[in-house]
Amino acid sequence: MDRPNPFFRNKWSKAASLPMMLIVWVVFVCGTIWTVLFSFTNIKILPLFTPQQWMDGFVGFANYTRLFKTDRWMSCPGITKILTEDWEFKCAGALPNMVTYAVFSIVISVSLGFLLAVMMDQKIRAEGVFRTIYLYPFALSFVVTGHVWAWIMSPEYGLQHSIRQLGWESFTFDWIADRQMVMYAIVIAGIWQGTGFVMALMLAGLRGIDEDIWKAAKVDGIPAWRTYLQIVLPMMKPVLVTTFVIVTSGAVRIYDLVVATTDGGPGISSDVPSRYIYQNFSANLGQSLAASTVLLVTMAIVLIPWIRMEFGKKSQA
Amino acid sequence: MHSVSVQSLTLKFGAAEVLKNLNLDVAEGEFIVLLGPSGCGKSTLLNCIAGLLELSEGQIHIKGKNVTWAEPSERGIGMVFQSYALYPQMTVRGNLSFGLKIAGMAKDEIEKRVQRASEILQIGPLLDRKPGALSGGQRQRVAIGRALVRDVDVFLFDEPLSNLDAKLRSELRVELKRLHNRLKNTMVYVTHDQIEALTLADRIAVMRGGIIQQLAAPQEIYNRPSNLFVAGFIGSPSMNFMHGKTVDGGTAFETAGTTLSLSGYEGGAVGARDKAILGLRPEHLEMVDAPIPGKTIPAMVEIDEPMGADSLVWLKVGDVPVSVRVPVENRPEHGKSVHLKVDISKASVFDAVSEQRI
Amino acid sequence: MANTTAFDQVPSGKKPTPFITWQRFVVYSVLGVCALFFLLPLYIMVITSLKSIQEIQGGNIFVPTMSPSFDAWEKAWNSACTGLYCEGIKVGFWNSVKITGPSTVVSIAVASVTGYSLANWPFKMSEFYFTVLLLGSFIPYVVMLYPLVIITRWMGIYSTLPAVVFVHTIFGLPILTLLFRNYFASLPQELFKAARVDGAGYWGIFFRVFVPMSVPIFTVAVILQITGIWNDFLFGVIYAGPTNYPMTVQLNNIVNSAMGGKAYNVDMAATILTGLVPLTIYFVSGKYFVRGIAAGAVKG
């Protein structure tokens, strides 16, 4: 009997994986490359895929320089005065808004999520009830979350109005209508939705730790809080890295939540990159693609620790 | 003064009594092994002694001090776990010194103790490595070291060798014995492995169902098991049991139509019993060709298992399978009828109802 | 033991502990306050939807109404305006059903078979594909939005139901493949080998051995996909076309198309209605939901 043609080995497996292979190549690989390549052109109408078109429209980094000169994308008035006395670090625009959202939502939801997980780990009663309460927002759409919080935070009839009505006349909570504070209003809605998820991941991480470690620490006379901070937390590094990557990639993608909560307002003070990119698809495609590429690079940087963790340990073992 | 003294300890999880009115006194410098099948409460008892579980009733004294409600770290114990439980992000040195640092000990004293422990356990070259870079045997040595630096009198071991492969296990077993000879600490050691128990222990506490079935020296437990459970649990292959009754006023045992004289049984007079069990270890039976009245029992050879040094022959006495240990050159033919000579002075007779040794 | 008498003053038996220690008090306080924070929006959503618009303007956001009425719900469902049309959010509801059903089925069908191939029938470069797939799940959607517009246009399905099903299948693939691959890899490999020795082939093993054993993971996948697709906004807005806008998009339009003052009660009723499907699934299937969302965090 002849050796069968290796091309037909596992033929059903290969055939069944064909949709996945097509998606990987056509959408993930080619789609991404297309976006990056055409971010260097000034094409306006729907392009085909010919190299000729790309060469005709090639403009180098023009889209990028124009993008970063656009106030709506990013404006940092103080940064031009760098190294002078009145230098200040204050940026506005879609990209800085995303960074603000990412930093605050990560810090708050991870620390609050860890705190809740530790509390949940204290052999409490009704653990299931608490977990259900913390996690239900995560089952909701960002659009739902956004509209609820927009209503609660609306200065006209919402929280501010109601507290004032109860007698605290000077109470002020109008972040959602304040150009300086509006991103923090969105952060509140974001952590309401996402903290339960972080808590669930952290709790799973805590429960995955060898029980003997706790016993050993007790015999060693280490106080519980030190055990959490100095032994358990470092052991949860993989969970922390994964959580960080998932929460950050969500923050980089942020779109629906902003559309629902403020629709970028007041004015464009809570605009975010995805919204900027989507709105410029028709009028300013080249710049949109350049902005997409910026997000892609941002995400790649965020992914580095995760990639090192996931793929590094394989080569070690 | 006892080193560890457990007095009428009871532990309940809800309605279930996991440990039942348990007493255990451990002498200074003694190596006690808690042995039993899983779920017998041996690890639970150890955790109670360590203070990792709150008992429901009773008291625990360590070195004459009532520590029933003391924190684990205040009891003067060190503990070694099955999973080693080393802090993975700290070096070996960090693992050994962390508890001492927390206790606020002076730096040079810590250093001295770490040096001493690493010398005793020969882990000096490993001090700056992390647990992830160590082998199983090395990790277990570090785990012992963590107990050692605490400079305590009582060591608690919770199945410390169960995660190691057979060869390493026997090596570390010898090392543990050497360590005990050198340090002369009190050691309480939990295992389900009877070889570990028999080789290491000064005394073994065989446990089942939250109760200590027998507490005695290994030879005593092997030769004079106090009840049917201990007899069946200790020894590999297990003891042969023959059901029957005592006759002639308790001077003889009748089973499978044969009568065996009980004269020479070291338990003395057994009295007349309608239901009794005769327990015989495989090495206390001998195959002979001709019957000796009152001393042999007819049997038929089924199979034999050569095991290198000797051979285990499986026979049938009536319907009951019986194993006999014979020198390897004495391998019998299959299907051959033989007679088994019983060494009644080494046998055990049990009451079939109470299951106690007579 | 003669010398224990000195210590017998310490009573044996249960350690006398106060009914509640201060640590317990702190734990339950923190958990309770946080629970209130998480429950508040749900409470406000519900009571607002039961109020009349006069009560909302004159009253307090925290105080429930004395005369609850489902008028706002009725209006939100049947006659609220979403831009040009005033047919309520029910249009969006049925669109979401039409999108979620096929998207869930197609994406799970593709991903379960892919996960099975990767776990049990690895081929040349199959690990490479899996890695790219995983990394691809982190690419910001906007990077692939325009290429997908081009692709769906070229396929002739842009702005139709099949386009949005197609896109949901693509973006559901990484997480679902991961889920199925890890699950199939965790099944005993002897089972797979035994089935092969018995003469079962690729499809025979999949349908007759693996699928019957995998009901839990299919349940997890279905829950993950239904909630995920139902909650989607972006893909619906771009690829479905105005006549097929899902419920989330319609909700946004209702809230934003306020004519003559905002009808907060109707908005909140529409918001609850939009959240009702995923919430019901969540409350009914608690454990499976947690397993689904945690799957993304654990790589095999």
Side-chain angles (χ1 to χ4, degrees):
Chain A
M1 203 170 111
D2 288 335
R3 187 194 176 92
N5 185 339
F7 183 79
F8 292 109
R9 263 193 77 227
N10 278 355
K11 60 179 182 293
W12 279 116
S13 177
K14 287 173 186 167
S17 306
L18 212 58
M20 182 270 287
M21 295 184 203
L22 279 176
I23 287 170
V24 162
W25 283 117
V26 176
V27 181
F28 289 157
V29 176
C30 294
T32 305
I33 292 174
W34 182 89
T35 295
V36 173
L37 283 182
F38 278 84
S39 72
F40 295 102
T41 68
N42 64 356
I43 43 149
K44 291 242 159 52
I45 44 140
L46 179 67
L48 297 171
F49 314 95
T50 59
Q52 188 59 45
Q53 256 177 329
W54 185 75
M55 270 148 65
D56 287 348
F58 186 78
V59 290
F61 280 91
N63 285 325
Y64 291 87
T65 47
R66 269 198 297 128
L67 178 68
F68 280 93
K69 278 181 187 156
T70 308
D71 282 354
R72 197 183 147 193
W73 176 256
M74 183 164 119
S75 74
C76 295
I79 236 129
T80 50
K81 290 179 272 181
I82 203 160
L83 297 178
T84 60
E85 291 263 316
D86 54 348
W87 178 77
E88 55 170 350
F89 190 79
K90 198 164 209 173
C91 293
L95 189 64
N97 281 344
M98 183 199 85
V99 174
T100 305
Y101 177 83
V103 169
F104 279 86
S105 63
I106 289 162
V107 169
I108 297 174
S109 70
V110 169
S111 41
L112 187 61
F114 183 70
L115 179 76
L116 284 177
V118 168
M119 299 288 170
M120 294 277 279
D121 202 28
Q122 304 303 311
K123 298 195 176 74
I124 55 155
R125 277 163 202 276
E127 184 191 314
V129 175
F130 281 115
R131 200 189 38 221
T132 308
I133 292 173
Y134 298 150
L135 202 51
Y136 87 88
F138 195 71
L140 293 172
S141 168
F142 275 123
V143 181
V144 170
T145 302
H147 286 308
V148 177
W149 279 98
W151 161 229
I152 293 174
M153 295 191 287
S154 89
E156 197 184 359
Y157 299 118
L159 189 66
Q160 174 176 301
H161 166 78
S162 302
I163 300 259
R164 282 183 183 174
Q165 208 187 39
L166 292 173
W168 185 356
E169 296 289 338
S170 61
F171 179 82
T172 305
F173 180 65
D174 57 356
W175 288 3
I176 202 165
D178 181 336
R179 287 170 174 273
Q180 303 294 321
M181 300 304 287
V182 64
M183 278 322 289
Y184 302 102
I186 294 171
V187 166
I188 293 178
I191 61 171
W192 178 77
Q193 172 144 17
T195 301
F197 171 63
V198 176
M199 186 275 301
L201 291 184
M202 298 282 179
L203 191 59
L206 283 178
R207 297 270 155 90
I209 282 172
D210 179 11
E211 216 173 309
D212 281 352
I213 286 279
W214 278 103
K215 293 182 180 176
K218 262 186 137 174
V219 172
D220 269 351
I222 301 161
W225 65 271
R226 281 192 92 141
T227 313
Y228 271 115
L229 284 184
Q230 283 181 283
I231 298 170
V232 172
L233 202 57
M235 284 177 81
M236 283 176 50
K237 199 174 138 199
V239 179
L240 289 170
V241 170
T242 314
T243 309
F244 168 78
V245 170
I246 292 177
V247 176
T248 315
S249 75
V252 171
R253 278 176 189 168
I254 182 174
Y255 174 74
D256 334 12
L257 185 62
V258 170
V259 168
T261 317
T262 62
D263 200 18
I268 50 157
S269 54
S270 62
D271 202 10
V272 284
S274 293
R275 190 170 168 278
Y276 177 92
I277 291 164
Y278 179 53
Q279 293 197 342
N280 277 298
F281 267 155
S282 44
N284 211 344
L285 185 57
Q287 221 188 81
S288 249
L289 297 179
S292 304
T293 307
V294 171
L295 282 199
L296 183 70
V297 172
T298 312
M299 199 56 226
I301 293 167
V302 170
L303 269 181
I304 288 173
W306 181 80
I307 291 173
R308 281 179 56 167
M309 185 180 80
E310 289 289 342
F311 300 95
K313 72 186 170 203
K314 256 187 225 156
S315 54
Q316 260 177 33
Chain B
M1 187 175 65
H2 293 295
S3 186
V4 176
S5 172
V6 175
Q7 293 162 18
S8 42
L9 187 156
T10 298
L11 183 79
K12 293 175 196 159
F13 287 146
E17 278 198 347
V18 185
L19 298 174
K20 295 165 191 160
N21 193 19
L22 201 140
N23 290 287
L24 176 69
D25 287 326
V26 184
E28 189 113 2
E30 192 176 21
F31 200 127
I32 283 267
V33 172
L34 307 179
L35 175 69
S38 56
C40 71
K42 55 191 192 300
S43 283
T44 313
L45 174 59
L46 196 75
N47 281 327
C48 283
I49 296 173
L52 294 167
L53 280 176
E54 261 188 24
L55 37 90
S56 310
E57 269 160 55
Q59 293 190 14
I60 294 171
H61 298 246
I62 292 178
K63 295 229 107 190
K65 216 173 103 189
N66 188 331
V67 294
T68 311
W69 303 121
E71 285 295 313
S73 54
E74 299 161 355
R75 295 187 173 209
I77 53 147
M79 191 160 176
V80 179
F81 300 90
Q82 176 177 1
S83 63
Y84 323 128
L86 299 176
Y87 311 132
Q89 74 282 4
M90 297 181 196
T91 60
V92 169
R93 191 189 300 278
N95 267 283
L96 296 183
S97 56
F98 192 51
L100 306 179
K101 268 188 210 150
I102 298 282
M105 188 178 283
K107 263 217 169 98
D108 44 338
E109 173 66 17
I110 295 178
E111 183 56 25
K112 225 166 67 191
R113 288 191 182 190
V114 170
Q115 279 311 325
R116 177 171 169 269
S118 69
E119 232 166 75
I120 293 175
L121 296 164
Q122 297 165 351
I123 51 173
L126 310 176
L127 279 178
D128 293 313
R129 290 212 218 151
K130 288 195 177 172
L134 303 180
S135 70
Q138 290 170 329
R139 282 183 214 183
Q140 196 50 284
R141 244 170 256 185
V142 175
I144 294 170
R146 191 167 55 185
L148 212 56
V149 291
R150 293 175 55 75
D151 207 12
V152 289
D153 300 299
V154 180
F155 277 25
L156 308 177
F157 293 91
D158 192 358
E159 308 227 16
L161 307 183
S162 300
N163 278 10
L164 302 172
D165 63 46
K167 187 164 175 285
L168 213 56
R169 205 180 308 163
S170 58
E171 278 173 27
L172 267 161
R173 209 168 61 210
V174 176
E175 244 175 79
L176 267 176
K177 193 147 194 172
R178 209 175 280 143
L179 189 73
H180 182 235
N181 282 343
R182 173 169 176 180
L183 300 174
K184 303 251 180 317
N185 291 40
T186 308
M187 296 191 173
V188 183
Y189 186 106
V190 165
T191 183
H192 64 266
D193 178 356
Q194 48 171 309
I195 305 292
E196 274 173 37
L198 292 169
T199 51
L200 287 170
D202 293 325
R203 282 193 300 161
I204 299 175
V206 183
M207 290 182 70
R208 181 173 69 155
I211 293 170
I212 295 183
Q213 305 284 323
Q214 188 174 10
L215 173 64
Q219 270 317 303
E220 174 77 9
I221 289 205
Y222 189 80
N223 291 331
R224 281 179 284 277
S226 68
N227 60 33
L228 217 55
F229 169 75
V230 177
F233 188 75
I234 301 274
S236 172
S238 9
M239 191 181 260
N240 300 302
F241 294 119
M242 291 179 211
H243 292 253
K245 58 179 180 183
T246 58
V247 290
D248 297 341
T251 58
F253 183 86
E254 190 188 302
T255 182
T258 318
T259 308
L260 290 167
S261 164
L262 284 178
S263 76
Y265 177 60
E266 52 104 65
V270 293
R273 283 163 211 269
D274 282 344
K275 282 188 174 169
I277 297 166
L278 180 67
L280 289 159
R281 296 224 178 260
E283 59 268 38
H284 299 146
L285 288 165
E286 193 188 337
M287 283 192 293
V288 292
D289 292 327
I292 308 166
K295 295 217 154 134
T296 61
I297 188 159
M300 194 175 64
V301 177
E302 278 209 325
I303 51 165
D304 70 330
E305 301 178 282
M307 306 213 270
D310 48 20
S311 176
L312 201 66
V313 181
W314 287 90
L315 309 98
K316 276 251 165 104
V317 173
D319 291 334
V320 185
V322 168
S323 62
V324 178
R325 205 185 284 278
V326 300
V328 77
E329 56 270 16
N330 284 8
R331 295 176 60 180
E333 288 165 42
H334 295 183
K336 188 185 170 195
S337 286
V338 294
H339 297 272
L340 294 177
K341 189 174 161 210
V342 175
D343 184 353
I344 206 75
S345 66
K346 302 250 173 74
S348 298
V349 182
F350 301 94
D351 185 290
V353 182
S354 71
E355 300 195 344
Q356 295 298 312
R357 189 172 197 265
I358 304 160
Chain C
M1 253 182 92
N3 54 354
T4 50
T5 42
F7 303 102
D8 285 345
Q9 292 124 340
V10 180
S12 60
K14 202 109 196 95
K15 187 181 189 174
T17 42
F19 174 66
I20 190 159
T21 60
W22 68 269
Q23 286 108 324
R24 294 265 108 182
F25 180 75
V26 169
V27 166
Y28 282 109
S29 304
V30 172
L31 290 174
V33 168
C34 287
L36 283 182
F37 168 70
F38 284 102
L39 282 174
L40 184 76
L42 187 62
Y43 168 75
I44 287 176
M45 220 182 338
V46 172
I47 62 165
T48 305
S49 73
L50 298 175
K51 287 179 187 175
S52 71
I53 200 75
Q54 290 77 19
E55 274 180 292
I56 289 172
Q57 283 164 353
N60 189 302
I61 194 171
F62 300 111
V63 180
T65 169
M66 287 299 112
S67 49
S69 120
F70 279 94
D71 290 352
W73 288 56
E74 207 278 326
K75 191 165 176 228
W77 181 255
N78 276 324
S79 62
C81 295
T82 59
L84 289 179
Y85 304 97
C86 290
E87 293 169 4
I89 203 161
K90 65 172 190 291
V91 184
F93 175 84
W94 291 114
N95 283 343
S96 277
V97 171
K98 278 187 265 177
I99 292 170
T100 307
S103 301
T104 304
V105 172
V106 174
S107 61
I108 290 177
V110 173
S112 60
V113 172
T114 306
Y116 168 64
S117 287
L118 293 176
N120 295 91
W121 301 84
F123 45 89
K124 204 179 160 194
M125 293 199 14
S126 59
E127 277 301 297
F128 163 80
Y129 281 109
F130 184 59
T131 307
V132 176
L133 205 58
L134 275 187
L135 291 177
S137 70
F138 289 107
I139 300 174
Y141 293 140
V142 285
V143 173
M144 289 169 289
L145 282 188
Y146 210 83
L148 275 170
V149 170
I150 298 172
I151 292 168
T152 47
R153 272 220 183 117
W154 175 75
M155 290 164 79
I157 56 171
Y158 180 67
S159 236
T160 65
L161 222 46
V164 76
V165 171
F166 177 69
V167 173
H168 277 304
T169 304
I170 289 172
F171 288 107
L173 193 63
I175 177 75
L176 290 179
T177 303
L178 178 76
L179 193 76
F180 281 107
R181 173 190 173 272
N182 286 358
Y183 184 81
F184 291 137
S186 75
L187 294 177
Q189 287 309 295
E190 286 76 13
L191 202 74
F192 174 71
K193 290 175 187 163
R196 280 194 80 176
V197 173
D198 281 344
Y202 181 90
W203 295 109
I205 296 175
F206 182 68
F207 283 112
R208 282 192 281 174
V209 184
F210 277 24
V211 172
M213 295 179 69
S214 309
V215 175
I217 207 68
F218 277 95
T219 313
V220 167
V222 167
I223 289 164
L224 194 69
Q225 282 305 84
I226 292 183
T227 49
I229 294 166
W230 191 275
N231 288 339
D232 160 68
F233 176 82
L234 185 62
F235 301 145
V237 122
I238 296 178
Y239 300 100
T243 49
N244 298 317
Y245 275 162
M247 204 171 184
T248 48
V249 179
Q250 304 280 37
L251 167 67
N252 205 47
N253 290 345
I254 286 177
V255 175
N256 289 342
S257 73
M259 281 175 280
K262 269 185 166 301
Y264 290 111
N265 51 354
V266 177
D267 291 354
M268 283 304 111
T271 308
I272 297 174
L273 285 167
T274 308
L276 218 48
V277 168
L279 265 191
T280 309
I281 290 175
Y282 170 72
F283 284 119
V284 171
S285 70
K287 213 171 54 188
Y288 288 109
F289 180 82
V290 178
R291 255 182 88 178
I293 57 168
V298 195
K299 197 185 144 291

